[in-house]
Amino acid sequence: MAGSSYTDLREKLKSMMPYRDGYKGSSLRDPEEPPYGSTDRKRKYHEDSESEPSDYEERQREEEEAQKVKSGIRQLRLFSPEECAKIEARIDEVVSRAEKGLYKEHTVDRAPLRNKYFFGEGYTYGSQLQRRGPGQERLYPRGEVDTIPEWVHDLVIRKLVEHRVIPEGFVNSAVINDYQPGGCIVSHVDPIHIFERPIVSVSFFSDSALCFGCKFQFKPIRVSEPVFFLPVRRGSVTVLSGYAADEITHCIRPQDIKERRAVIILRKTRLDAPRLEMRTLMPGYASDRLSGSNRDPILKPKRSHRKADPDAAHRPRILEMDKEENRRSVLLPKHRRRSHFSSENYWRKSHGEDFEEEEEEEESSSDGRGRREALWTPARGRFKPGLGSQLDMESQRTSILHRVVSFAPDPLPARQYDMKTSEPISFYLSNLEELLAWKTTSDDTFNVATVPLAQRQPPLDSRRPRTLVCHDMKGGYLEDRFIQGTEVADPYVFYHWRYIDIFVYFSHHAVTIPPVVWTNAAHCNGVLMLGTFITEWTEGGKMCESFLAGEAEAYQAVAKQLAEMARFFCFDGWLVNIENSLSVTAARNLPHFLRYLTDQVHRLVPGGQVIWYDSILRTGELRWQNELNENNKVYFDVCDGFFTNYNWKEEHLLRTRELADDRRVDVYVGVDVFGRGDVVSGGFDTNKSLRMIREQGLSIAIFAPGWVYEHLGSEDFLNNEDKFWALLSELLPVHSVGSLPFCTSFNLGMGKRHFVKGQERRTEPWYNLSAQEIQPIYTNQTMPNGAWLRTRCCLQDAWSGGSSLLLEGTIPSDVYHVTARLFSFQVPAPPRVFLLLIYKQASQAVSFVPQFTTRRQLSSACPPNPRPPSPAGPARHNPSPLLTPPPHIAQFLKGCGQHRKHGWQSRCYELELQNCFLDELSITLSRRQPGQDELSFACRLGKIWVLDAAGLRSLSPTALASLALPIDVAHVHWHQASAGWLSLNLTLRWIYPSSKATCFRVHYRSGACASGPEPPLVLIGEAHAPLYRVTELKVPEAQESSSCRLEFLVEPVPKNGLQVDPDMWGKLAFVYSAPKLPSTNNSDSL
């Protein structure tokens, strides 16, 4: 790209950036308000100002306000995953009791997508009040809500007191807010005349965010950019006081509730807080019995009397709002009130008073989309007129769509789809113009990772040396760019996740967005995924000058886009690699850019990381240092980590360690496995470099481990890969599973064939890393007693996916058994544990028995609560086999028995434990009878579960019964395949919580254009997100006087391995009729 185009970019920034005020104003301002850029609006903020503030002054004001908000926030990570699980089970009990009507009337308050449960003290708010507005809230009379449950005191409040978050006896009001996906609470301030400060909240079930200073609009719902965005992790404690509690509104946006989330809010009521009199709650009480200013507000009927729609959380419709007001104290001075922010009163003035009635009408109506011939509706016992009476609703989860075939061109976006097949693909950006112009579209959703970052120990923020792997495979975006997978034999995969902390997807494109399949695989195994922002050579220099040599606005624009990409696509940050010289001005701004990018990533991505590569000196000169020193430390000081170049020697390590001091683990010393340049080692000798680095307590960055695949070839890749990592394993601490339940089928995300419950479903090779599951510890060892043991991936047979775990080896004549270590755990042991195995054993001469080890306390290497190592070693436990599994356990093994002709068998074990931590899971293989001969063995593991008996209720099939699966359609394309046959491409979309499913199987029933026997159901693919692109599907051509019918069925595959009843699958009846004449000019767009 010519240099002039980068110069032009500086002038284009204001028009190109989606976060600019002018841009926001065009879509988010209220129709009754003046435009965002007008003088009237600015005077709302500056009533005493004689002149309009400049853009710079506006930005300064916003940044100052964000700092004020931040000053009033305190966050702590106090609750471990195990503690969260116990509390979440108690919250489920509260929900169950409420459904059974066991609480007092005013304890429970229901709203669409959000339920409240008041304990200790309850209060009126929002639409419950006849007179709405700040200061109108009242406490209920004492005794009108249930007391605070004992478990809240024991499991939550006590811990907060112990950590001095709140004083003893502070809390007398506890509220549980239970949000469904898409739920929210509009901008508000907790009533100052009701509650003391601070306000303490503890989050459970999933990660979310709290936003400050947002403006809401409705129908459709829209939310302005927040003044401050606060990520809120599961198990975290958030404390609001000062400016954050009193001077600015806070809210939870619908887009920040991706999964079910609950929060326990703990507060203390003021002694002088106004309280309703008991008579105001009595039937027949009227406001005209009172007079004067002391008259109490009269309450509207309680929302808790309305029956909740169990499928409401998953129906694709306009989101209803939690109608909690913007509650500001009437005591605040006028200039400190944000009345223009979204309060319910403000909204009602613009949209009328009958909001609740409108909501109920919306919930009972169907949703018609598009033209008359393209109507869609989720089935609710009837469908909209226009389709004809020949279509009946098969089930409550059936959607019906009627289309007229059209061959009109409707090209797909080239960036997100392969032009030959229309398959969705992962993409990169080539230059700064593309980066600045990027904004999210519905076609980007294929590239959004759906697997949340798994919990494991020790966490990344523990102060121990880490391991980073930087992927560099032939330029990147090869077979891994196909989001729905592809047919390829012997692809490159990475599966030794137990040894690493961070994975960087690297390419030489300017903005490398990690392919979603890699992000899903990394997150499944608890590893962070980073993209790469790189500039190189002459063109890279021009690019850097265009955003670094100008005003701060330019580099901030780039940083905001990069951070927003990480947030939207759900990866975890960036490696920044500037490999070209910079001007003095650009070099001066580079640390500011890096700091701003790091701050933005931290703001938008929980646990996000920005790592700098050793290339540029503080003067702007391009010169690799191979160490951390005073010439490049300025970049290390403003980001999360430093990735050194590869040509270091021992003296470089010593100087780096001394300068990094207590941040030495944030220095990742580069090791090029290809061994290019003046390096210590590479290839199978890479362990020599690692040993020198570990001796200095520094972290490691392993660059291009794909050397194994590129240099040695693909034919014996898995064996060579195991050999490479086995040589490094003693220098790479194993990471531990951090939570239960635990389940894996050992699937690598590839295979020569594909299996479902031991049955071969397809015989072609396949590759899709999104299908990869949690991987074990792979070992290959010869023991001093002569025994040999190896665990490796087996592609010849599998229970689920494309691979199983093969345990093979030999037992010498004088040895009785060998033990294979499979998984490391750091989990508080439940009182009762179930272990389930699906396996296949070739020889009956060897028996195998699972074994757990436990410890009395966590290892000192596993923060966040380091303790000295236990004086006693680990205790070993052999769980007891259950000949007949209990019914609630047998459901996991359903289908195994009927496939015994394929050799797969199942076992169930039980183990009771007390006051300890799970440490390891191993398999011991033993001779059945003593003998003189050396004994060889081979055993395959197909699937394994480790389950907490107390949590089995939430894993039952009935827990899935309320999840709806309506299906929608987009991007329909027709082609004439041959005489009498059409080729159909379309995108299926549905809504289903990502936390509930590991994938979705998409089935198809071939087109029927006339009466006859029902065609068989055919599996056409697996989706790892709630959407799937059907490509080149051959269907019969419809005649002019008739219609044809196809059926698509979506089967959720739960993460716990249970089978969902076909009645609970999503179903689309797709009816199409013959194309109209060309003059009708039909379009395929929905």
Side-chain angles (χ1 to χ4, degrees), residues 13 92 117 193 236 347 358 368 408 465 470 483 508 571 597 632 770-771 790 820 838 923 933 940 947 950 1066:
L13 279 172
D92 285 337
Y117 305 94
H193 65 291
S236 68
W347 185 87
E358 290 174 8
C470 190
I483 296 171
H508 291 275
F571 59 95
L597 173 61
N632 54 31
S770 286
R790 183 183 182 188
I838 292 178
I923 296 288
D933 297 331
R940 288 182 177 88
L947 304 172

Side-chain angles (χ1 to χ4, degrees), residues 557-862:
V558 172
K560 285 186 176 181
Q561 286 290 83
L562 291 172
E564 175 58 21
M565 277 187 168
R567 184 202 68 80
F568 178 80
F569 292 116
C570 296
F571 59 95
D572 306 295
W574 294 96
L575 170 68
V576 179
N577 185 5
I578 307 296
E579 296 203 63
N580 46 258
S581 297
L582 301 176
S583 66
V584 173
T585 304
R588 185 168 57 246
N589 280 334
L590 181 56
H592 299 295
F593 162 70
L594 198 58
R595 180 186 294 276
Y596 192 80
L597 173 61
T598 303
D599 289 344
Q600 291 298 308
V601 168
H602 290 176
R603 184 174 71 89
L604 295 178
V605 182
Q609 294 277 298
V610 173
I611 295 176
W612 171 258
Y613 176 66
D614 163 30
S615 52
I616 298 292
L617 306 186
R618 61 184 177 182
T619 61
E621 179 184 357
L622 175 63
R623 196 200 311 167
W624 297 268
Q625 298 295 285
N626 304 300
E627 66 177 354
L628 178 69
N629 59 34
E630 293 297 342
N631 291 318
N632 54 31
K633 187 174 180 291
V634 61
Y635 307 117
F636 178 56
D637 291 339
V638 294
C639 67
D640 297 302
F642 185 91
F643 185 150
T644 77
N645 194 45
Y646 314 103
N647 299 316
W648 47 265
K649 297 293 182 287
E650 186 173 12
E651 56 266 26
H652 293 92
L653 301 181
L654 293 171
R655 289 194 294 265
T656 295
R657 172 179 176 171
E658 182 178 359
L659 187 60
D661 197 21
D662 60 351
R663 284 193 66 197
R664 68 187 62 170
V665 298
D666 295 330
V667 178
Y668 299 84
V669 180
V671 178
D672 183 0
V673 180
F674 276 84
R676 291 163 287 203
D678 184 15
V679 300
V680 172
S681 63
F684 285 125
D685 291 328
T686 300
N687 58 327
K688 297 177 182 177
S689 297
L690 266 61
R691 183 168 283 104
M692 293 175 63
I693 298 168
R694 287 296 193 229
E695 287 174 355
Q696 304 305 321
L698 301 169
S699 293
I700 293 169
I702 302 174
F703 182 74
W707 169 86
V708 176
Y709 186 89
E710 291 190 63
H711 180 70
L712 300 177
S714 61
E715 293 77 12
D716 199 27
F717 167 64
L718 295 180
N719 285 328
N720 288 328
E721 182 78 345
D722 288 344
K723 175 183 176 181
F724 175 81
W725 287 96
L727 292 168
L728 306 182
S729 60
E730 64 174 300
L731 301 163
L732 304 176
V734 172
H735 292 82
S736 304
V737 175
S739 62
L740 296 181
F742 171 79
C743 174
T744 183
S745 297
F746 308 100
N747 190 357
L748 276 191
M750 59 163 284
K752 299 182 181 298
R753 295 172 291 172
H754 192 272
F755 297 84
V756 175
K757 292 200 169 182
Q759 290 185 311
E760 186 179 275
R761 289 293 181 93
R762 56 183 291 186
T763 58
E764 307 84 9
W766 63 278
Y767 174 61
N768 187 346
L769 287 176
S770 286
Q772 191 177 102
E773 298 186 45
I774 299 173
Q775 295 298 301
I777 302 166
Y778 291 94
T779 60
N780 187 353
Q781 53 185 321
T782 300
M783 303 168 198
N785 57 18
W788 170 70
L789 174 65
R790 183 183 182 188
T791 57
R792 65 179 178 89
C793 171
C794 173
L795 299 178
Q796 283 67 47
D797 201 357
W799 171 254
S800 178
S803 55
S804 56
L805 183 67
L806 177 63
L807 285 69
E808 59 182 355
T810 59
I811 304 176
S813 58
D814 57 344
V815 175
Y816 179 67
H817 64 80
V818 293
T819 299
R821 181 188 181 200
L822 298 184
F823 294 99
S824 173
F825 287 87
Q826 289 290 348
V827 181
R832 192 180 180 203
V833 177
F834 285 108
L835 172 66
L836 283 67
L837 297 175
I838 292 178
Y839 68 97
K840 181 181 286 190
Q841 196 168 353
S843 171
Q844 298 302 315
V846 174
S847 65
F848 78 89
V849 176
Q851 185 179 83
F852 281 106
T853 61
T854 62
R855 294 182 182 272
R856 286 298 173 186
Q857 53 194 18
L858 286 175
S859 164
S860 60
C862 298

Side-chain angles (χ1 to χ4, degrees), residues 110 131 177 230 424 474 548 640 696 707 758 801 871 975 1045:
R110 292 193 178 94
R131 292 171 51 203
N177 283 354
L230 180 69
K474 300 180 181 179
L548 287 174
D640 297 302
Q696 304 305 321
W707 169 86
H975 303 284
R1045 174 190 177 95

Side-chain angles (χ1 to χ4, degrees), residues 368-505:
R369 299 189 180 188
R371 303 179 308 279
R372 183 174 299 175
E373 68 269 23
L375 293 175
W376 174 88
T377 174
R380 301 182 190 171
R382 68 171 188 265
F383 54 88
K384 278 195 169 184
L387 296 180
S389 59
Q390 79 274 17
L391 299 177
D392 295 320
M393 290 310 209
E394 286 79 44
S395 75
Q396 288 188 330
R397 285 165 180 81
T398 299
S399 305
I400 293 181
L401 178 69
H402 180 259
R403 299 303 296 267
V404 175
V405 175
S406 171
F407 300 107
D410 182 17
L412 292 165
R415 177 184 290 167
Q416 292 99 338
Y417 296 92
D418 181 74
M419 289 298 97
K420 293 182 179 179
T421 65
S422 86
E423 289 270 355
I425 57 174
S426 294
F427 64 90
Y428 54 84
L429 303 179
S430 298
N431 53 54
L432 199 62
E433 275 192 313
E434 291 183 6
L435 171 62
L436 294 176
W438 173 82
K439 56 183 178 181
T440 61
T441 70
S442 60
D443 294 300
D444 281 332
T445 53
F446 274 107
N447 277 282
V448 176
T450 55
V451 179
L453 184 65
Q455 299 270 356
R456 69 175 191 171
Q457 293 288 349
L460 187 73
D461 57 6
S462 61
R463 306 311 295 172
R464 48 95 184 125
R466 310 178 193 118
T467 304
L468 176 152
V469 163
C470 190
H471 165 281
D472 181 29
M473 173 59 64
K474 300 180 181 179
Y477 298 98
L478 304 174
E479 294 87 357
D480 54 6
R481 74 184 187 278
F482 292 102
I483 296 171
Q484 295 181 171
T486 186
E487 290 184 10
V488 57
D490 302 319
Y492 174 73
V493 294
F494 180 81
Y495 53 96
H496 290 276
W497 300 103
R498 293 292 105 193
Y499 297 127
I500 75 169
D501 302 274
I502 300 172
F503 189 97
V504 178
Y505 193 88

